[in-house]
Amino acid sequence: MTEYLLQLAASPEAWAALITLMAMEVVLGIDNLLFISILTNKLPEDIRPRARRIGIGLALIMRLGLLSTVAIIVQLVHPVFTVFGHAFSWRDLILIAGGLFLVWKATKEIHHAMAPHEEQEAALGGTLQMSFSAAIVQILILDLVFSVDSIITAVGMTEHIPIMVIAVIVAVLTMLLAAGPLANFINRNPSIVMLALGFLLLIGTTLIAEGFGAHVSKGYIYTAMAFSAGVEALNMMVRRRRPAGAGH
């Protein structure tokens, strides 16, 4: 085992795969982090950090657990049944279910954000009562979906388990460091909430499309997200420079 690790450490190809995989895992973690940030911001302020840590910790445990069963995970891409000439695998079904859940959740949050203030206040008590356990369960569902997709992608890039483990740990630690600042930024800027929910709708729709065999390049998705975020950043700069009470 030690000799194998030493050979791996001396291989330029292994280092290239590690760097590429770490970057990919961090980028893929953005989807998961957005969901966790929006969901935990609905909890009482004093338990938000703990919910984020537990949610991201569960993501790490789940991904490392899936890596230990990588031989089974690889089998998830094999067709299990066919409908109208299209073969579906377990991975497809997981992506479709996760995408539907994400679309439902984002739509529900958009409806809540657009509801009159009185209606929001009436729903607030129920939201806080289900609070911590409900948030963790929902985070766990999305952790599973993103973890399966992440591990299958990693397996396609390298056959070395240590490289996958390091990439996953680095990505999750990055999520852990970024979770608090991102959640606080979203909480301080209400317009960002709607933009982030729009991103989640886009991601959910993409997962459903992937499940049905329509591949959508992640580059297009993240370029659209970056462009929208850039436009919103300009809007925020304009609003901050506009004198108080000035007209639109």
Side-chain angles (χ1 to χ4, degrees):
M1 182 64 179
T2 304
E3 185 179 350
Y4 164 71
L5 292 176
L6 289 173
Q7 289 177 351
L8 205 58
S11 169
E13 292 82 5
W15 282 101
L18 176 61
I19 293 170
T20 304
L21 194 53
M22 282 194 301
M24 186 206 70
E25 289 288 340
V26 169
V27 171
L28 289 177
I30 294 173
D31 307 346
N32 209 353
L33 194 55
L34 269 177
F35 181 79
I36 291 174
S37 298
I38 290 176
L39 197 60
T40 54
N41 276 349
K42 295 177 67 64
L43 299 176
E45 192 169 353
D46 58 326
I47 64 173
R48 290 175 189 172
R50 184 158 60 99
R52 287 194 290 266
R53 287 195 298 269
I54 291 176
I56 295 172
L58 288 172
L60 175 60
I61 293 170
M62 193 172 294
R63 293 185 190 194
L64 293 178
L66 289 174
L67 277 174
S68 67
T69 59
V70 69
I72 298 174
I73 297 298
V74 172
Q75 301 299 318
L76 294 179
V77 300
H78 296 165
V80 290
F81 64 87
T82 302
V83 178
F84 298 120
H86 179 73
F88 289 89
S89 65
W90 282 113
R91 174 181 179 269
D92 295 334
L93 298 179
I94 291 171
L95 291 181
I96 292 170
L100 289 172
F101 174 76
L102 206 52
V103 168
W104 168 78
K105 186 63 181 177
T107 303
K108 183 180 177 182
E109 294 300 324
I110 290 173
H111 172 75
H112 177 73
M114 297 292 290
H117 182 70
E118 295 78 9
E119 185 178 330
Q120 291 186 21
E121 289 296 324
L124 187 59
T127 301
L128 295 183
Q129 285 175 6
M130 61 182 235
S131 68
F132 195 80
S133 59
I136 295 302
V137 169
Q138 293 183 51
I139 290 171
L140 192 59
I141 292 172
L142 260 296
D143 278 347
L144 174 62
V145 175
F146 288 127
S147 294
V148 169
D149 196 33
S150 169
I151 297 304
I152 289 176
T153 304
V155 170
M157 293 185 65
T158 180
E159 60 182 13
H160 302 295
I161 299 295
I163 290 177
M164 298 182 204
V165 170
I166 294 172
V168 165
I169 291 175
V170 168
V172 174
L173 288 177
T174 303
M175 287 171 59
L176 192 59
L177 292 173
L182 177 61
N184 293 334
F185 178 74
I186 290 175
N187 196 43
R188 288 194 306 267
N189 298 276
S191 61
I192 294 293
V193 175
M194 196 61 67
L195 184 63
L197 290 171
F199 290 163
L200 292 181
L201 273 176
L202 179 62
I203 294 163
T205 304
T206 303
L207 290 176
I208 295 171
E210 290 273 356
F212 280 98
H215 176 68
V216 181
S217 172
K218 293 292 192 298
Y220 295 133
I221 302 300
Y222 293 119
T223 299
M225 290 170 63
F227 177 78
S228 300
V231 172
E232 181 57 28
L234 292 175
N235 285 332
M236 291 170 62
M237 291 172 60
V238 170
R239 286 196 294 268
R240 287 172 182 171
R241 293 181 179 181
R242 182 180 297 155
H248 294 288

